[in-house]
Amino acid sequence: MECSALNAGAKEKLNMPRTATIHRKTNETDIHLKLNLNGHGKARISTGIRFFDHMLELVARHGAFDLEVRARGDLDVDQHHTVEDVGITLGEAVQKALGSKRGILRAGYFLMPMDETLAAAAVDLGGRPYCMVHAKIAVKRVGDFQVELLEDFFQGFAQSAKANVHLRALYGRSSHHQVEAIFKTFARALRFAVSRDKRLRLVLPSTKGLL
């Protein structure tokens, strides 16, 4: 009887929605973000930077997340605050939506080809923030997006999600393809990391007992 009750409770926890709503407001940005980790790849994104919008749409689609982002920032000054703060807010949402983190795979990695480009990502939601981005991108802008802010976005995410994030464009000719492949491979790696393992539904994926 006790075993049946335990299994029923575990099943109920597995079926609980993993969602988060975050409102982050500073003197530089005002961001509303909704995330459903158990989504279907739906996205509604508006940041004022169209190429960045497209990259976040890719994160939702390839991560199988439902993601809504409304961001207003001081784009008349620079894109930096908007891009970095969206990364921070997304990381906060992932951390909140994961709850106790029991039963998740915790880590994920992926290789993403895009024509002549190959990108790699490894993500670990182990509670220790660290980010490494290696990409030799020849141009300063792809579309209307400042390429140097690629690292700032992922740094912001890693810090607030308390995650290790390692990203690399292994090779590629097209700057557009390199940036896009990095966002896609990140989404796929994160999708694995947040996924649940039914065999370990009540287990925290750490021998330390803390994530």
Side-chain angles (χ1 to χ4, degrees), residues 111-131:
L111 282 172
M112 173 61 73
M114 187 170 179
D115 297 341
E116 85 298 339
T117 295
L118 185 66
V123 174
D124 179 12
L125 301 169
R128 299 173 64 177
Y130 205 91
C131 180

Side-chain angles (χ1 to χ4, degrees), residues 3-210:
C3 184
S4 297
L6 180 62
N7 288 336
K11 185 176 182 180
E12 183 179 350
K13 287 182 179 180
L14 280 176
N15 292 330
M16 288 178 62
R18 298 193 298 168
T19 62
T21 300
I22 306 289
H23 179 208
R24 176 183 172 85
K25 183 175 174 60
T26 71
N27 291 333
E28 299 161 341
T29 60
D30 187 358
I31 300 168
H32 293 263
L33 187 148
K34 291 184 179 180
L35 174 68
N36 181 2
L37 293 178
N38 299 338
H40 299 88
K42 298 177 181 178
R44 294 176 61 188
I45 313 293
S46 177
T47 67
I49 308 166
R50 187 62 195 100
F51 187 83
F52 186 44
D53 291 351
H54 180 44
M55 295 303 100
L56 295 174
E57 291 164 0
L58 292 175
V59 170
R61 182 60 57 87
H62 287 267
F65 312 132
D66 290 342
L67 178 63
E68 294 184 23
V69 180
R70 285 190 295 112
R72 290 183 3 187
D74 53 357
L75 295 178
D76 57 320
V77 176
D78 192 56
Q79 294 182 3
H80 180 275
H81 298 142
T82 299
V83 173
E84 182 178 51
D85 285 7
V86 169
I88 292 170
T89 309
L90 179 59
E92 289 176 354
V94 168
Q95 179 81 344
K96 182 177 179 180
L98 285 174
S100 71
K101 297 184 181 178
R102 291 186 182 275
I104 65 168
L105 294 179
R106 172 180 154 171
Y109 61 91
F110 204 82
L111 282 172
M112 173 61 73
M114 187 170 179
D115 297 341
E116 85 298 339
T117 295
L118 185 66
V123 174
D124 179 12
L125 301 169
R128 299 173 64 177
Y130 205 91
C131 180
M132 294 292 291
V133 179
H134 291 282
K136 295 181 179 179
I137 299 173
V139 300
K140 292 184 177 180
R141 284 180 180 258
V142 175
D144 61 345
F145 178 68
Q146 293 173 226
V147 171
E148 68 176 5
L149 301 180
L150 182 75
E151 185 168 351
D152 295 277
F153 170 79
F154 289 111
Q155 287 279 5
F157 174 87
Q159 288 294 323
S160 57
K162 297 181 180 180
N164 279 190
V165 178
H166 290 249
L167 302 165
R168 188 162 194 165
L170 299 172
Y171 48 78
R173 177 195 58 80
S174 166
S175 299
H176 183 126
H177 287 174
Q178 289 181 69
V179 174
E180 187 165 331
I182 286 172
F183 273 93
K184 285 180 177 177
T185 196
F186 164 75
R188 294 275 176 171
L190 183 61
R191 179 176 176 175
F192 276 105
V194 304
S195 294
R196 286 166 161 163
D197 186 335
K198 291 184 178 180
R199 296 175 302 164
L200 303 173
R201 57 175 63 87
L202 297 179
V203 178
L204 192 67
S206 171
T207 55
K208 293 185 297 185
L210 178 68

